[in-house]
Amino acid sequence: MEVEDLFAGSAREENAPSTEQSPLKSLQVDLDFYSESIREVALEIVEEGYSDYPIFVAHQHEVSVGEVILDRKELETKWSINASTLEEFVEMDIIQEDRKASFIQNYKPAKDYMCLFVVVAEGANFVFYPYK
């Protein structure tokens, strides 16, 4: 799956305001603000038996993976967060089946770290970020 495939339809914001500061700086601010909410959702995903591996998709565009839990427009922030799971990422072939064991081995405890799949126009990557 290509990064472009994650964007829903033509909803990609090509005219998003550009700044000289990395968008990851604003992501850090938003993650600190969202931290408690993301942790609650992560623990609920695990406790309810949906998955032992919650993944949160951080994005500034519409994406086609996960379910929106924190909307940047509603909250007047820079980043939206979708909740997903390892199982959905494998099903969508974002994580290939033969890489699943490696992902699980490197996964940090959901009670201490949020597992983020950060999607930007240039690409996407996994990041583990500690809760505040």
Side-chain angles (χ1 to χ4, degrees):
M1 172 173 276
E2 298 297 320
V3 170
E4 291 78 23
D5 297 337
L6 296 174
F7 293 103
S10 62
R12 244 177 119 168
E13 296 176 27
E14 297 298 333
N15 59 353
S18 65
T19 61
E20 292 186 30
Q21 180 176 312
S22 167
L24 298 180
K25 295 284 188 190
S26 65
L27 177 58
Q28 183 177 12
V29 170
D30 285 358
L31 291 177
D32 290 345
F33 177 70
Y34 294 154
S35 185
E36 188 174 323
S37 297
I38 293 174
R39 186 174 190 188
E40 285 176 19
V41 173
L43 295 177
E44 186 175 310
I45 288 170
V46 173
E47 290 168 4
E48 296 291 325
Y50 296 115
S51 177
D52 288 333
Y53 307 98
I55 299 172
F56 296 93
V57 182
H59 57 94
Q60 294 180 311
H61 314 281
E62 297 298 316
V63 296
S64 60
V65 61
E67 186 174 318
V68 176
I69 59 167
L70 297 163
D71 185 282
R72 67 186 176 94
K73 293 174 185 167
E74 288 177 16
L75 298 168
E76 298 180 3
T77 57
K78 304 268 188 216
W79 292 81
S80 293
I81 305 293
N82 290 14
S84 185
T85 63
L86 169 61
E87 292 77 8
E88 181 180 14
F89 270 59
V90 171
E91 183 179 306
M92 293 184 74
D93 204 30
I94 298 168
I95 296 175
Q96 295 163 352
E97 184 68 43
D98 64 343
R99 306 287 287 160
K100 183 177 172 182
S102 176
F103 181 86
I104 290 170
Q105 183 178 4
N106 290 298
Y107 192 89
K108 295 185 185 268
K111 67 180 178 38
D112 300 322
Y113 292 88
M114 56 185 91
C115 175
L116 296 162
F117 187 65
V118 181
V119 179
V120 293
E122 297 80 19
N125 210 344
F126 285 99
V127 175
F128 289 93
Y129 190 76
Y131 296 110
K132 293 291 173 194

